[in-house]
Amino acid sequence: MCDDELIPPRADLTEDQWLRTAGPGLPGTTAPAGTPDTTAAAHGVHRRTLLGGAVAGAALAALPFGAPRPAVAAARAAGPARFPLPSAPGPSGEYAVLVTGDAGTGKAEQYAVTAAAKEVCRAEHIGLAVGLGDNLYENGPESDDDAEFEEKFERPNTGIDVPWLMVLGNHDCSGLVPGSGGDPARGDREVAYAATSRRWYMPGRYYNVALPAGAQGDPLVEFFALDTNPVASYVVQLDPHYRWNGPYMREQRRWLDAALRASRARWKVVLGHHPYLNNGKHGSAGSYDGFTTGHYTSGVHLRELYEEVVCGRADVIMSGHDHTLQILEPTDRTRGTRQLVCGAASKTGDGTAHFTHPAAWQDFARHGFMVLKVSAGAMTVDAYTVDVATGKARLAHRTRTTRPVAAGARVPAGAR
């Protein structure tokens, strides 16, 4: 849910209850001068939102609730080959990864951030990128070939010609209420889109990727991409398959636990749209937006997933959702796992720290992105802020870690 949109009036509503009690009306806005997307927003709910939600609702009503519906990117038809996953580090001996979040508006701010990121990508020899959700505002694609993929992802990111590890955000999985996260099945369209894009990498709704790609020995770094929507939506999930304790979340939890246990990577990075800890407006899992009751709106079960499965096993949790830039410190509570919040690729926060989790550095007012760099000897996070007027990035902070969280982590053979 964006900072400029409505928060539900109480925890765990259905979308119908939200519409009846509060209404999803969005304030009228005007596109900034020079914006590539020149269509101004209308007052109230956009026609596209209503139509998309109606279609999604009709489809949802027709589904056999409770039946598993795995989404896997289809075999690729003839066409341009995907940009390859890195099989070796860059000239510095590090794998360099661009990290962005909450980018998909197609507006001038997104273009300014990607223009700045392109310069850094060239300088740092970026071989991989991460998109931390809310890939297509306001409520995700209407089909797997929706023009919004071109308008809000491909065109802005032209020139950053690497694979993008994409995760699903609440705006990618919404129906009538933009950003509600109440129709997670819509995310299957983003999985399907991966079959036709050179950049968009999403082989499933959740998945893992290890680098170097194709390595015979132990990998240096492994990414674990999650779908956090069913346990952090603003509305109750009506489809039993996607409920907080339904088959989908039970299977995802089993997968994550097994994948982290089996991983032999020196560094482990978990990607999820909703943060575990967060000093921005939305707050942390278990008390999102001030809610502490219910199975959904508060994110209490996502907090359980992070604390019981991820903390102490992964080195970093990377999230968006809050439109801020934060490098939080690992603590006893996190058992050494560090939280990064990187959701300022197209929108910004309110300029205020709302909570006091220990931070190495944070910014609540500027646009920006991060770069993760990993070698056998260190994991480094560079935070960049962006001047939208000039499209230029400034290195604002650097954090370096030399000790992996996992006990007994070994240096892969032949790694630097």
Side-chain angles (χ1 to χ4, degrees):
M1 199 53 139
C2 306
D3 294 339
D4 56 357
E5 293 179 3
L6 296 177
I7 300 299
R10 64 180 186 272
D12 285 16
L13 301 174
T14 64
E15 284 207 336
D16 180 67
Q17 288 171 327
W18 190 352
L19 290 166
R20 291 174 184 275
T21 57
L26 298 174
T29 58
T30 302
T35 293
D37 179 1
T38 57
T39 303
H43 288 274
V45 180
H46 301 290
R47 180 173 182 273
R48 176 188 175 89
T49 301
L50 284 170
L51 290 176
V55 171
L60 189 63
L63 289 173
F65 278 180
R69 292 176 297 280
V72 179
R76 193 174 185 83
R82 290 186 180 100
F83 294 117
L85 292 166
S87 58
S92 66
E94 300 172 309
Y95 289 91
V97 181
L98 173 68
V99 182
T100 70
D102 301 69
T105 64
K107 294 188 176 181
E109 294 84 355
Q110 181 184 7
Y111 274 80
V113 171
T114 54
K118 287 172 194 176
E119 294 187 12
V120 174
C121 286
R122 286 191 290 269
E124 296 286 357
H125 300 280
I126 296 290
L128 186 69
V130 167
L132 291 170
D134 286 358
N135 309 311
L136 301 177
Y137 284 105
E138 292 294 334
N139 63 345
E142 302 303 323
S143 68
D144 60 9
D145 61 354
D146 194 317
E148 289 201 339
F149 285 110
E150 177 69 22
E151 296 166 4
K152 299 178 179 180
F153 177 75
E154 301 289 355
R155 199 178 302 157
N157 293 315
T158 298
I160 307 179
D161 298 334
V162 299
W164 287 69
L165 307 186
M166 306 299 289
V167 301
L168 294 169
N170 51 302
H171 279 273
D172 302 305
C173 298
S174 295
L176 278 173
V177 181
S180 70
D183 189 3
R186 290 171 67 90
D188 291 351
R189 299 164 185 171
E190 297 197 2
V191 176
Y193 178 70
T196 59
S197 171
R198 299 190 72 188
R199 293 179 182 81
W200 188 286
Y201 188 97
M202 188 183 277
R205 299 177 66 97
Y206 52 87
Y207 59 91
N208 53 318
V209 170
L211 299 181
Q216 298 301 309
D218 294 348
L220 182 63
V221 58
E222 189 164 2
F223 297 88
F224 304 83
L226 307 182
D227 174 11
T228 58
N229 288 286
V231 284
S233 57
Y234 279 95
V235 295
V236 171
Q237 298 294 337
L238 296 180
D239 182 345
H241 184 66
Y242 288 108
R243 286 180 183 162
W244 71 270
N245 61 347
Y248 177 77
M249 283 308 304
R250 293 199 303 270
E251 178 55 35
Q252 183 175 192
R253 180 183 173 115
R254 284 194 294 267
W255 166 82
L256 179 62
D257 182 52
L260 284 169
R261 186 185 310 114
S263 176
R264 296 179 62 84
R266 180 166 176 78
W267 303 100
K268 301 176 182 66
V269 180
V270 169
L271 313 174
H273 179 67
H274 298 83
Y276 169 44
L277 300 179
N278 170 34
N279 286 332
K281 181 179 178 180
H282 288 311
S284 301
S287 57
Y288 287 141
D289 296 294
F291 293 107
T292 56
T293 61
H295 292 301
Y296 297 96
T297 316
S298 70
V300 62
H301 299 297
L302 179 57
R303 183 190 69 194
E304 293 168 355
L305 179 67
Y306 282 139
E307 290 180 347
E308 296 171 8
V309 180
V310 176
C311 288
R313 301 170 79 184
D315 298 281
V316 177
I317 299 170
M318 293 186 176
S319 308
H321 195 51
D322 218 279
H323 302 150
T324 57
L325 299 165
Q326 303 171 51
I327 301 177
L328 303 185
E329 294 282 29
T331 64
D332 290 341
R333 172 181 175 179
T334 70
R335 300 199 295 281
T337 298
R338 182 186 294 278
Q339 171 76 65
L340 303 181
V341 180
C342 186
S346 193
K347 303 186 179 187
T348 58
D350 60 6
T352 302
H354 291 259
F355 302 94
T356 58
H357 298 292
W361 175 87
Q362 50 194 353
D363 189 297
F364 300 93
R366 284 184 278 267
H367 292 87
F369 58 90
M370 296 182 186
V371 172
L372 174 75
K373 293 181 282 191
V374 290
S375 67
M379 171 179 283
T380 303
V381 180
D382 291 345
Y384 290 86
T385 57
V386 174
D387 183 337
V388 169
T390 63
K392 297 297 183 182
R394 180 182 72 87
L395 178 60
H397 180 82
R398 173 172 290 163
T399 290
R400 188 170 184 267
T401 303
T402 58
R403 182 180 176 84
V405 165
R410 298 182 294 119
V411 178
R416 178 171 179 256

